[in-house]
């Protein structure tokens, strides 16, 4: 016995996504992954007229609210119209059924009535076949879960999106509407019908993973990425190299990963490609980081000339062109692996005392009438220039802004981590902030 607003998801549910069919196993919360799409959808919507290019109407208006908690949309459009610009049909209400129990819980089994609606099909309609993943990609979607009169059978659920990544977010929301009933062993959706129009409030929704200080195998990184997809996060900040270890293979300078903890705690370039590809299929970008010049002691295990001296192992040697040749080689090799438009260059916690106590560095500074603070700025700006030449937008920790904000490259993204205060200052200088 089920409440009128309850739905049963059949054990074998066919999911169609024009032009490729896929199948949905309704064991929530995990959602199916969208297949590669080679052409726009050709299915038609009962609530909108077909367009010349595809049957499903493209989402034309963006909604200014984010509904990542799975709640139905009740705002973002004019009265009497849907967010797609068409009048909603009487069978597609905006709000859920009033039979929802207090707190959003499904109705108790004792109050269930003899009405159930089978979801026999989930239709996914994607307007564009462009699978490029970058910051700001359209992740909006509309999710419809039908309902009807008592004992009626409805056609199913529909997800409409402009891009495959919007469809992935819609699938995640759909999976979060599913509840497993341990009494009947059915997967159910309560309080149907549902209509959800959703888009992210923030273009960058990130999680930092530090595998230099604590090595993590590739399969564990994949588990983290899967978890991110459930929360609709879209950027993995991979802090892959630091003073403790250098685990990444760099073909241009193959001795660098001698700085890894052991031979078994390393990432080959194939591993890195695998992580990037795995993340892309879940709509997640990878922003890699090398933290220079102050967190780079591990670099000297393979190339000791990068150290100012055996007693001064960080910051890296600012006086040598070889230092910047190595940085350029690392960035060039990593650019082939990481297509994301942002690259993190670190720049935090730079203790320059040993530059002053190293004879050749001290002489270099004196010849140029530079202080160690000036040398720190010189190093960061030169590294930024190398990244920009590779069409990357440089990201730096906020110490760079706090120390020489007026001279930072205008493309710089300032990464706040020390507390409040820096964000309004950086925005006032027309810089982006994380």
């Amino acid at each position: 016995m089920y409440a009128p607003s309850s739905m049963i998801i059949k054990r074998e549910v066919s999911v169609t996504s024009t032009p490729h069919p896929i199948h949905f196993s309704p064991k929530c919360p995990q959602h199916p992954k969208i297949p590669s799409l080679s052409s726009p959808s050709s299915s038609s919507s009962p609530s909108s007229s077909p367009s010349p290019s595809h049957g499903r109407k493209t989402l034309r208006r963006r909604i200014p609210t984010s509904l990542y908690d799975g709640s139905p949309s009740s705002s973002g459009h004019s009265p009497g119209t849907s967010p797609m610009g068409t009048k909603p049909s009487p069978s597609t209400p905006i709000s859920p059924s009033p039979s929802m129990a207090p707190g959003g819980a499904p109705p108790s089994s004792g109050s269930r009535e003899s009405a159930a609606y089978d979801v026999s099909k989930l239709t996914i309609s994607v307007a564009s076949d462009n699978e490029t993943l970058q910051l700001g990609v359209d992740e909006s979607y509309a999710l419809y879960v039908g309902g009807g009169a008592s004992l009626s059978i409805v056609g199913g659920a529909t997800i409409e999106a402009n891009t495959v990544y919007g469809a992935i977010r819609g699938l995640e929301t759909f999976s979060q509407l599913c509840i497993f009933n341990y009494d009947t062993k059915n997967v159910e959706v309560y309080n149907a019908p549902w209509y959800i129009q959703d888009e992210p409030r923030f273009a960058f929704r990130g999680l930092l993973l530090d595998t230099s200080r604590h090595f993590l195998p590739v399969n564990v990184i994949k588990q983290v990425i899967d978890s991110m997809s459930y929360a609709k996060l879209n950027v993995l900040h991979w802090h892959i190299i630091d003073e403790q270890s250098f685990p990444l293979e760099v073909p241009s300078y193959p001795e660098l990963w001698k700085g890894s903890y052991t031979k078994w705690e390393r990432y080959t370039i194939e591993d890195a490609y695998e992580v990037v590809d795995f993340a892309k299929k879940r709509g997640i970008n990878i922003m890699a980081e090398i933290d220079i010049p102050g967190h780079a002691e591990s670099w000297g295990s393979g190339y000791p000339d990068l150290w100012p001296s055996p007693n001064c192992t960080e910051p890296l040697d600012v006086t040598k062109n070889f230092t910047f040749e190595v940085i350029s080689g690392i960035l060039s090799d990593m650019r082939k692996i990481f297509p994301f438009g942002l690259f993190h260059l670190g720049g935090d916690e730079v203790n320059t005392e040993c530059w002053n106590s190293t004879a050749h560095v001290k002489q270099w500074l004196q010849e140029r009438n530079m202080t160690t603070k000036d040398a720190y700025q010189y190093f960061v700006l030169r590294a930024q220039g190398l990244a920009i030449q590779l069409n990357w937008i440089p990201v730096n920790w906020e110490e760079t802004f706090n120390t020489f904000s007026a001279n930072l490259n205008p493309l710089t993204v300032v990464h706040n981590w020390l507390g409040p205060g820096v964000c309004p200052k950086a925005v006032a200088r027309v810089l982006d902030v994380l």
Side-chain angles (χ1 to χ4, degrees):
M1 303 289 287
Y2 301 90
S5 60
S6 172
M7 310 177 72
I8 304 171
I9 299 179
K10 291 182 177 178
R11 279 297 178 199
E12 294 295 331
V13 180
S14 174
V15 181
T16 58
S17 174
T18 309
H20 302 297
I22 58 176
H23 295 282
F24 172 58
S25 175
K27 293 184 179 180
C28 299
Q30 294 192 13
H31 62 67
K33 305 305 177 188
I34 303 289
S36 292
L37 301 176
S38 57
S39 63
S41 168
S42 60
S43 60
S44 61
S45 169
S47 61
S48 60
S49 58
S51 66
S53 58
H54 51 81
R56 187 69 62 186
K57 192 177 183 68
T58 300
L59 304 181
R60 298 186 187 278
R61 282 180 50 186
R62 298 181 66 80
I63 306 304
T65 56
S66 180
L67 301 170
Y68 279 99
D69 59 356
S71 59
S73 173
S74 59
S75 62
H77 55 276
S78 303
T81 63
S82 74
M84 294 175 61
T86 59
K87 292 187 176 182
S89 66
S91 62
T92 312
I94 301 302
S95 301
S97 167
S99 62
M100 176 180 283
S108 63
S109 58
S111 65
R112 290 174 180 169
E113 301 176 12
S114 57
Y117 315 126
D118 292 342
V119 178
S120 58
K121 184 171 68 173
L122 171 61
T123 301
I124 304 165
S125 177
V126 179
S128 171
D129 61 356
N130 186 347
E131 297 180 24
T132 302
L133 178 62
Q134 278 294 349
L135 193 65
V137 68
D138 191 338
E139 299 175 78
S140 63
Y141 65 91
L143 169 62
Y144 312 86
V145 180
S150 178
L151 299 177
S152 69
I153 302 296
V154 299
T158 299
I159 295 172
E160 294 180 335
N162 286 328
T163 69
V164 67
Y165 304 109
I168 289 174
R169 307 301 178 224
L171 281 166
E172 188 58 58
T173 297
F174 179 74
S175 77
Q176 292 165 1
L177 293 176
C178 301
I179 299 174
F180 184 74
N181 186 319
Y182 284 89
D183 294 330
T184 64
K185 297 184 178 179
N186 284 319
V187 177
E188 302 172 359
V189 175
Y190 289 98
N191 303 302
W194 286 92
Y195 171 63
I196 296 171
Q197 182 86 27
D198 193 14
E199 68 173 342
R201 179 181 177 189
F202 299 106
F204 187 108
R205 307 179 304 282
L207 176 75
L208 186 152
L209 195 65
D210 187 338
T211 61
S212 172
R213 294 179 175 92
H214 185 86
F215 180 85
L216 295 175
V218 169
N219 67 312
V220 175
I221 297 175
K222 288 181 176 180
Q223 291 170 12
V224 171
I225 292 170
D226 262 334
S227 299
M228 291 175 65
S229 72
Y230 304 152
K232 301 186 178 76
L233 301 180
N234 71 335
V235 179
L236 176 63
H237 176 178
W238 192 359
H239 192 94
I240 193 169
I241 299 164
D242 208 289
E243 63 186 48
Q244 286 79 8
S245 73
F246 196 117
L248 181 66
E249 179 184 14
V250 178
S252 296
Y253 291 91
E255 302 299 306
L256 280 169
W257 69 351
K258 284 186 176 180
S260 63
Y261 287 126
T262 67
K263 291 182 179 179
W264 300 275
E265 293 171 298
R266 292 175 171 177
Y267 304 108
T268 65
I269 56 173
E270 290 79 14
D271 290 334
Y273 275 120
E274 184 179 344
V275 168
V276 171
D277 183 65
F278 185 88
K280 181 181 179 182
K281 291 176 180 177
R282 288 148 183 81
I284 295 173
N285 298 281
I286 304 293
M287 180 177 71
E289 177 181 357
I290 60 172
D291 199 342
I292 52 176
H295 283 250
E297 181 178 359
S298 62
W299 297 35
S301 297
Y303 296 95
D305 284 348
L306 293 170
W307 291 336
S309 76
N311 297 321
C312 178
T313 56
E314 60 182 17
L316 294 172
D317 195 328
V318 67
T319 72
K320 296 176 182 175
N321 283 329
F322 177 65
T323 300
F324 296 96
E325 290 169 3
V326 172
I327 293 172
S328 179
I330 293 171
L331 294 178
S332 296
D333 286 349
M334 294 181 79
R335 195 63 175 111
K336 299 170 186 175
I337 302 170
F338 300 101
F340 189 46
L342 305 183
F343 189 88
H344 209 301
L345 291 168
D348 63 319
E349 299 178 324
V350 180
N351 185 343
T352 60
E353 288 183 8
C354 80
W355 277 350
N356 259 334
S357 60
T358 304
H360 77 274
V361 178
K362 187 174 182 179
Q363 180 182 352
W364 184 87
L365 293 172
Q366 291 173 345
E367 289 173 353
R368 288 159 179 79
N369 196 27
M370 293 171 66
T371 65
T372 54
K373 179 180 175 181
D374 296 330
Y376 169 38
Q377 173 183 301
Y378 166 82
F379 197 113
V380 169
L381 297 184
R382 187 166 174 181
Q384 284 190 336
L386 295 173
I388 292 169
Q389 287 176 10
L390 294 168
N391 294 318
W392 259 323
I393 295 173
V395 183
N396 284 99
W397 294 111
E398 68 174 87
E399 285 94 327
T400 59
F401 178 84
N402 295 336
T403 307
F404 45 90
S405 61
N407 296 321
L408 277 175
N409 190 289
L411 293 175
T412 305
V413 176
V414 179
H415 199 164
N416 170 229
W417 75 287
L418 293 176
V422 72
C423 294
K425 294 177 182 177
V427 171
R429 299 195 67 89
V430 199
L431 296 174
D432 290 328
V433 183
L434 294 178

